[in-house]
Each structure stands twice: as structure tokens, then as C-alpha cells.
């Protein structure tokens, strides 16, 4: 419903109106019908849509129709007659509050002096501000009512202090700043009196000067100086440490990575190093464990461990009660331990032949070893691991001997190596230059693997007939090929009988297409396993 669409009447006023009415005028408040509820709902929707004017409070100000009902509805005890938001605004204080300087007066009023007893005053002291039963003075043998002497001063008439919420909780209410000056002046007087007394004592006994200086130093470093991050509560006897100075960076801001060192908010501690990739000396904060295990802490832990072990062996020593004794025992123990180690080492060295066996290879050789995995094939090639190294020759390059201008192997003919400068095929022969060169031979050489074993037949005195037929030439070439194939098979059998690690590796094998004569010789000398006449050929 809209704000203020219906007025709420207190129950007490309903009962009062009901009792004051006559039977003729007795009418109960009627409930809203369904039609009235529908109209009120439509009016509320129209006000929210802006098609109907907003509700107005008693001061003529519009009420926002979008304000919830639980805020716009006034409590029943406000007895409102229409829509209003007065109950949501600050309420004016109906009572008059006391000023900030008003407070209860202490002491008695000495401005008036009374010499005669007054009627209604205290019978004991004569003050008119209280009665005898409330008198705080010692009961007199003869009261002021009877002798009229020594009439006490009257107390101040205390005002009635009316304070608000903040005034009741003001901790400095009634404080007189003049009292602070009196305290300071009194303290200064006490200090002056102490100095005079100290000077008089030193004058009588000059030996007390050193003792007082020691006491002043202890007081200076213990009582008067507060360490940063330390708070001492004298009432509870609690020392709260591990508090950072406000200018320092918080520990949890050293590294914002959620997987970094753990920060305990309860104890404000971060034990691990928030920046483990940095050296502890390069960072301002390396964790509390770094500080905890630095300096003489490790030395003290070793002393404590030694004391426990010594006590377990039957030696009566304590790390706190007898620190000097413990240190002497530890030094003696370390000394004997080193002597025992040296004796054991010398005994082992003598047993295995002396110190000459302790000599190690040079550092360069020790560090030359590696754990890199390299896998080789059966032919010596690298399959897995490091890259293939550069193959370098073990022979000297560009070294010419015996007047040669080229090296051995620079010339190749008929399956034979030689020198290119003179075409000589004899190694370490003397070079004769161009005179040693000859025309190439017409003989057909076989494969290079056995070319060195083959020599052309010596020429005979009988020269071939120029009219020799082509068939005769082919038959000669076939004979040469058959002899070469026999040599190849013999060489193959010899290699198969050898260990594979000792077989020669010929990298200069000539790869070429075989001739017809070589193919015919291979087919003729080929041994077939399924041939039934094979066993007769082997015999």
C-alpha cells in the first residue's frame, strides 16, 4: 500500500473513544472492502509510474512512492493522521541539556563564614546542607547546636546535570586543566629535592657515584626505553610483541602470490621466506625462521644437544646452570673427536699403501666427465643424444714430400690411388713432374674393393689381330669378370669369418652400375641353396 494510505489509531485511544461514546453513537471502525483495497493498490502503482501526484506529508513535502512500506509506515504510538516521514528524521531534543562547562562542584563553600547555629542545620557540625545522620565529620562531644562554636562550612548546592548520549560517556567531563599544572609543579619540586639529597650523599661518601651510574644505566635501558613493537600492560603483566611499525611494509605484502610463504594472521608471523628466489641478504625480510636460526642460535642449540647427550652418558652438566663447564667439556670433546678421526684416517691410509694413492688427477680431467646420454648405432653413428660431432682428419694436411706438389690420394685411376702431380701410384716415390704422366690404360678394372689386388696382364710380344671379332673381345671381358668375382667371394668369406668389430671399413668404395660382364659372372658364380647339384660343386 502507499505511504499514509490509512491511519493507525492506538488501541488505548480506541478503547477510550469506545467507553466515552453513547450507545446511539457507538460505531466500530469499518474494514476496507475488496474494492477499496484495489483502488489503493491502483493509486500506489500510478504514483510509482508517475501518472498520479505523490503523497504529501504534514509539512507539504512530497513523499517518494518508491520508499518501502516498512520505512514509510509510522509506528502506532505516533498517532499520525496522514502520510508522514517525521518518524524517520532526527527528533528534536525536548529537554534542555547542560552545558559542557557545567559539572558537580567539589569541596565546601568558604566564601561564607557562619558564627551562630542556624535552625535546621546539622546538630554535629552546624552545616545547613545536611543532617546529623549524613554528617561525615567525627561526632563531637558537644555538638554545634549546644555550644555554637566551630560551625563547619556549607557544601555547594549541586546542580542537576542533564546530558545526552555522548555527554554521559565523555571521559573528560568535569576535568580541570589547571590540575595538570599543579601535578607538574609538584613533580618538579620532588625532583629538585632528590637532586639535593643525592648531592649531599655524594659529598659525604664519594664511592657511591659509580654505583649510582650503574643503576641509572639499568633504569635507562630497562624502564625508561620502550623497544619498537613492544607494548607492556602493567595491569595484566602481558607483553605484546611481534607488532610492526606503521612505516614498515606488512609481511603479507612482500609477495602477493597465493602459493608463497604462509602468513598467520593470528600471530602475525611468516616463518618461510616470501621471496625464495632472492638471497636472504638481498631482501629486507627473509622470514622469521631465517632470523630464528641465525647468529649464535645454532651454536646454542648444539650446546643444548651436547648437554643432553652428556647427561645421558652420566655427566652431570647443565646448559644454563653451568655454561662454562659445558663449554670446556664441549671443547675437549671436539678435540678428542678430531684426534680420533685423524688416527682412523692414518690407519686406513697406511693399510692401503700410503698417501701416494690419495693423489687425484687434475681438476680438468675430473670435470671432463659427463652424464649426458648418447646412443650409437652398430656402424658408429649417433642415434640419440648430442649432435653429430664434426669429423676431423687425424692426418696432417698440405704436407708435401719427395718433391711432390700434391698429397697422396689426389689421383685415382683403375682403382689405384696416387699423386696427381706426376700420376705416380707408388706411395712415397720421388716426383718427376710431367714426365711421369702416361696415357690411361685400356684395361677394364673391377670393383674398387679389390682393385688394388688386380693387375693388368703383362703385354706379350704377340699383338692382337685388328680383325679380331667382337665375340672374342666379349669373351675376354667375361674371363676378367669371372676372376674378379672369384676374388670378391673369397674376400667376402674372409670377412665373414672375422669379428665384426675388427672388419675394415672402406669409405672410398666406388658406387657405379655393374657391367653386363660383371652381372653374367655373378649369375654364373652364384650359389643357390635349392640347387640339387650344389653338393657336387663344393667338392
Amino acid at each position: 500500500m502507499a505511504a499514509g494510505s490509512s491511519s493507525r489509531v492506538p488501541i488505548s485511544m480506541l478503547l477510550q473513544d469506545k467507553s466515552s461514546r453513547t450507545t446511539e453513537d457507538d460505531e466500530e471502525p469499518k474494514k476496507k472492502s475488496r474494492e477499496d483495497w484495489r483502488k489503493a493498490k491502483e493509486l500506489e502503482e500510478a504514483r510509482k509510474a508517475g501518472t498520479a501526484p505523490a503523497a504529501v506529508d504534514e509539512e507539504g513535502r512530497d513523499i517518494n512512492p518508491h520508499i518501502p512500506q516498512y520505512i514509510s509506515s509510522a509506528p502506532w504510538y505516533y498517532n499520525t493522521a496522514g502520510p508522514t516521514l517525521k518518524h524517520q528524521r532526527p527528533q528534536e531534543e525536548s529537554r534542555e541539556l547542560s552545558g559542557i562547562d557545567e559539572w558537580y562542584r567539589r569541596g565546601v563553600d568558604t566564601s561564607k563564614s557562619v558564627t551562630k547555629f542556624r535552625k535546621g542545620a546539622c546538630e554535629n557540625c552546624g552545616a545547613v546542607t545536611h543532617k546529623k545522620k549524613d554528617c561525615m565529620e567525627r561526632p563531637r562531644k558537644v555538638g554545634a547546636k549546644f555550644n555554637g562554636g566551630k560551625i563547619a562550612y556549607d557544601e555547594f548546592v549541586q546542580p542537576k546535570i542533564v546530558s545526552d548520549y555522548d555527554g554521559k560517556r565523555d571521559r573528560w567531563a568535569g576535568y580541570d586543566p589547571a590540575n595538570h599544572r599543579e601535578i607538574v609543579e609538584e613533580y618538579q619540586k620532588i625532583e629538585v629535592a632528590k637532586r639535593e639529597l643525592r648531592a649531599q650523599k655524594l659529598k659525604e661518601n664519594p664511592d657511591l657515584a659509580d654505583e649510582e651510574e650503574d643503576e641509572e644505566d639499568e633504569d635507562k635501558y630497562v624502564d625508561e626505553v620502550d623497544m619498537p613493537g613492544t607494548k607492556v600492560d602493567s595491569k595484566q603483566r602481558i607483553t605484546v610483541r611481534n607488532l610492526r611499525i606503521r612505516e614498515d611494509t606488512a609481511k603479507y605484502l612482500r609477495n602477493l602470490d597465493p602459493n608463497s610463504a604462509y602468513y598467520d594472521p593470528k600471530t602475525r608471523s611468516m616463518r618461510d621466506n616470501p621471496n625464495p628466489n632472492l638471497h636472504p641478504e638481498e631482501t629486507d625480510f627473509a622470514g622469521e625462521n631465517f632470523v630464528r636460526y641465525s647468529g649464535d642460535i645454532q651454536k646454542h642449540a648444539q650446546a643444548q644437544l651436547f648437554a643432553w647427550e652428556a647427561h645421558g652418558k652420566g655427566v652431570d652438566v647443565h646448559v644454563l646452570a653451568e655454561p662454562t663447564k659445558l663449554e670446556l667439556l664441549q671443547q675437549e670433546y671436539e678435540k678428542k673427536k678430531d684426534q680420533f678421526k685423524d688416527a682412523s684416517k692414518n690407519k686406513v691410509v697406511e693399510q692401503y699403501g700410503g698417501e701416494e694413492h690419495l693423489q687425484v688427477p687434475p681438476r680438468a680431467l675430473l670435470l671432463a666427465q659427463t652424464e649426458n646420454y648418447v646412443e650409437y648405432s652398430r656402424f658408429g653413428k649417433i642415434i640419440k643424444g648430442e649432435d653429430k660431432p664434426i669429423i676431423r682428419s687425424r692426418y696432417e694436411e698440405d704436407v708435401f714430400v719427395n718433391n711432390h706438389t700434391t698429397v697422396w690420394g689426389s689421383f685415382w685411376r683403375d682403382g689405384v690411388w696416387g699423386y696427381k702431380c706426376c700420376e705416380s701410384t707408388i706411395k712415397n716415390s720421388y716426383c718427376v713432374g710431367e714426365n711421369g704422366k702416361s696415357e690411361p690404360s685400356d684395361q677394364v678394372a673391377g670393383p674398387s674393393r679389390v682393385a688394388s689386388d688386380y693387375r693388368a696382364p703383362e703385354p706379350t710380344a704377340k699383338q692382337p689381330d685388328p680383325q679380331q671379332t667382337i665375340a672374342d673381345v666379349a669373351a675376354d671381358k667375361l674371363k676378367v669378370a669371372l676372376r674378379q668375382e672369384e676374388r670378391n667371394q673369397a674376400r667376402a668369406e674372409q670377412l665373414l669369418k672375422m669379428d665384426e668389430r675388427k672388419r675394415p671399413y672402406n669409405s672410398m668404395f666406388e658406387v657405379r652400375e655393374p657391367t653386363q660382364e660383371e652381372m653374367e659372372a655373378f649369375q654364373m658364380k652364384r650359389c643357390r641353396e635349392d640347387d640339387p647339384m650344389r653338393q657336387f660343386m663344393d667338392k
Side-chain angles (χ1 to χ4, degrees):
M1 291 179 62
S5 60
S6 63
S7 60
R8 295 188 178 185
V9 182
I11 300 176
S12 58
M13 293 188 65
L14 291 175
L15 296 176
Q16 184 178 1
D17 294 342
K18 184 177 181 180
S19 60
S20 61
R21 292 172 185 167
T22 59
T23 56
E24 297 177 357
D25 299 334
D26 190 6
E27 294 181 0
E28 295 289 342
K30 297 181 180 179
K31 293 184 178 181
K32 284 188 177 183
S33 63
R34 182 175 296 178
E35 187 67 20
D36 294 339
W37 282 104
R38 187 181 61 79
K39 290 181 179 180
K41 190 67 175 177
E42 291 178 355
L43 179 60
E44 179 182 0
E45 296 295 337
R47 286 175 176 173
K48 290 182 178 180
T51 57
V56 182
D57 60 1
E58 66 275 3
E59 298 179 1
R61 293 184 290 185
D62 294 341
I63 297 177
N64 190 347
H66 299 284
I67 295 178
Q69 183 180 1
Y70 72 90
I71 294 178
S72 60
S73 299
W76 60 269
Y77 49 82
Y78 266 80
N79 193 18
T80 57
T84 181
L85 290 176
K86 186 177 181 181
H87 58 282
Q88 295 292 347
R89 298 188 178 95
Q91 305 297 318
E92 297 180 359
E93 191 69 36
S94 58
R95 55 181 180 172
E96 184 177 358
L97 302 177
S98 303
I100 192 173
D101 296 331
E102 296 183 14
W103 197 248
Y104 303 104
R105 304 185 66 180
R106 301 187 179 119
V108 294
D109 187 5
T110 57
S111 61
K112 299 177 183 180
S113 59
V114 182
T115 58
K116 185 178 179 182
F117 182 78
R118 294 161 292 181
K119 185 178 180 180
C122 177
E123 298 179 358
N124 184 38
C125 64
V128 78
T129 52
H130 63 271
K131 299 298 182 181
K132 182 180 180 180
K133 63 179 181 178
D134 299 327
C135 185
M136 301 299 294
E137 287 193 6
R138 180 178 59 85
R140 300 180 182 179
K141 187 176 182 180
V142 179
K145 179 180 179 180
F146 302 102
N147 59 8
K150 295 183 180 180
I151 303 298
Y153 295 105
D154 298 337
E155 291 90 354
F156 291 107
V157 178
Q158 301 296 342
K160 185 177 181 181
I161 305 298
V162 180
S163 303
D164 56 357
Y165 181 86
D166 296 330
K168 292 178 181 179
R169 291 158 179 80
D170 186 8
R171 58 182 300 187
W172 296 103
Y175 176 74
D176 187 8
N179 296 337
H180 182 71
R181 182 175 297 276
E182 294 177 1
I183 294 173
V184 172
E185 292 177 355
E186 183 178 0
Y187 179 77
Q188 291 177 352
K189 292 179 181 179
I190 294 174
E191 288 295 325
V192 171
K194 286 183 178 180
R195 291 194 191 97
E196 293 178 356
L197 182 60
R198 188 180 300 111
Q200 184 178 358
K201 288 183 178 180
L202 292 176
K203 188 176 181 180
E204 296 176 357
N205 190 0
D207 297 337
L208 297 177
D210 298 336
E211 298 179 4
E212 291 186 358
E213 289 181 359
D214 297 339
E215 293 179 359
E216 290 178 358
D217 293 341
E218 292 179 0
D219 296 339
K220 177 180 179 181
Y221 290 102
V222 177
D223 298 334
E224 298 180 1
V225 179
D226 293 335
M227 299 300 293
T230 304
K231 179 182 178 182
V232 182
D233 191 351
S234 59
K235 295 181 180 179
Q236 298 182 359
R237 299 294 180 184
I238 296 177
T239 302
V240 181
R241 298 183 181 273
N242 203 14
L243 298 179
R244 67 180 179 89
I245 306 176
R246 297 295 100 179
E247 292 82 1
D248 295 344
T249 305
K251 299 176 184 176
Y252 52 84
L253 296 179
R254 298 285 183 178
N255 190 349
L256 300 182
D257 187 4
N259 297 326
S260 62
Y262 174 71
Y263 174 75
D264 187 6
K266 185 176 182 180
T267 58
R268 297 187 181 92
S269 60
M270 182 178 286
R271 295 174 178 83
D272 296 335
N273 187 1
N275 299 312
N277 54 339
L278 297 178
H279 194 271
E281 297 180 357
E282 299 178 0
T283 179
D284 298 336
F285 178 76
E288 295 176 355
N289 285 345
F290 175 75
V291 180
R292 186 174 300 171
Y293 298 109
S294 61
D296 293 338
I297 297 180
Q298 296 182 357
K299 184 177 179 181
H300 176 74
Q302 293 176 359
Q304 180 68 67
L305 182 61
F306 177 77
W308 290 340
E309 294 177 353
H311 183 74
K313 298 294 180 59
V315 180
D316 188 10
V317 65
H318 196 273
V319 67
L320 298 178
E322 298 173 329
T324 306
K325 179 181 178 181
L326 177 64
E327 186 174 359
L328 293 176
L329 288 176
Q330 190 173 5
Q331 291 179 359
E332 184 179 359
Y333 172 77
E334 294 293 338
K335 183 178 180 181
K336 292 184 178 180
K337 183 178 179 181
D338 295 339
Q339 294 177 356
F340 178 75
K341 285 185 177 179
D342 294 341
S344 300
K345 178 181 177 181
N346 296 333
K347 183 178 180 181
V348 173
V349 170
E350 293 176 358
Q351 184 176 359
Y352 284 92
E355 296 184 356
E356 62 273 8
H357 298 284
L358 298 178
Q359 298 177 1
V360 296
R363 186 176 180 86
L365 296 179
L366 290 177
L367 298 180
Q369 299 179 1
T370 179
E371 294 183 358
N372 296 333
Y373 175 76
V374 181
E375 184 176 348
Y376 295 88
S377 66
R378 59 187 299 180
F379 302 104
K381 296 182 180 180
I382 297 178
I383 299 176
K384 184 187 300 183
E386 61 183 9
D387 297 337
K388 182 178 180 180
I390 300 175
I391 299 177
R392 300 184 182 276
S393 176
R394 62 173 179 166
Y395 301 101
E396 296 180 355
E397 297 181 358
D398 299 334
V399 176
F400 308 118
V401 296
N402 297 334
N403 199 29
H404 289 284
T405 58
T406 57
V407 296
W408 171 260
S410 59
F411 175 71
W412 173 266
R413 177 184 293 176
D414 298 336
V416 181
W417 294 105
Y419 296 98
K420 188 176 182 181
C421 55
C422 61
E423 297 184 358
S424 174
T425 59
I426 301 174
K427 192 173 183 181
N428 294 330
S429 63
Y430 190 82
C431 180
V432 295
E434 297 294 334
N435 298 328
K437 293 182 179 180
S438 61
E439 295 296 331
S441 176
D442 293 336
Q443 300 295 333
V444 178
S448 61
R449 287 182 295 180
V450 294
S452 59
D453 298 336
Y454 171 74
R455 292 292 184 269
E458 295 294 336
T460 60
K462 184 180 179 180
Q463 298 295 331
D465 187 3
Q467 302 298 328
Q468 187 178 10
T469 62
I470 299 176
D472 296 338
V473 175
D476 295 340
K477 292 182 178 179
L478 181 59
K479 293 178 181 180
V480 174
L482 288 173
R483 287 197 299 269
Q484 185 64 37
E485 183 65 23
E486 292 176 357
R487 293 192 186 96
N488 292 342
Q489 291 182 359
R491 179 64 174 171
E493 292 178 0
Q494 182 182 1
L495 293 177
L496 290 175
K497 293 178 180 180
M498 296 174 61
D499 189 2
E500 61 179 5
R501 291 174 295 181
K502 296 182 180 180
R503 292 174 184 172
Y505 180 74
N506 189 1
S507 61
M508 304 305 297
F509 179 78
E510 182 182 4
V511 180
R512 61 179 177 82
E513 183 180 359
T515 61
Q516 295 181 359
E517 292 77 7
E518 292 176 352
M519 291 296 298
E520 183 66 21
F522 173 75
Q523 295 293 340
M524 292 174 66
K525 294 294 182 180
R526 180 184 177 186
C527 182
R528 296 177 175 86
E529 300 293 337
D530 57 347
D531 188 0
M533 301 299 293
R534 177 176 178 273
Q535 54 183 347
F536 300 101
M537 294 178 62
D538 295 340
K539 293 182 180 180

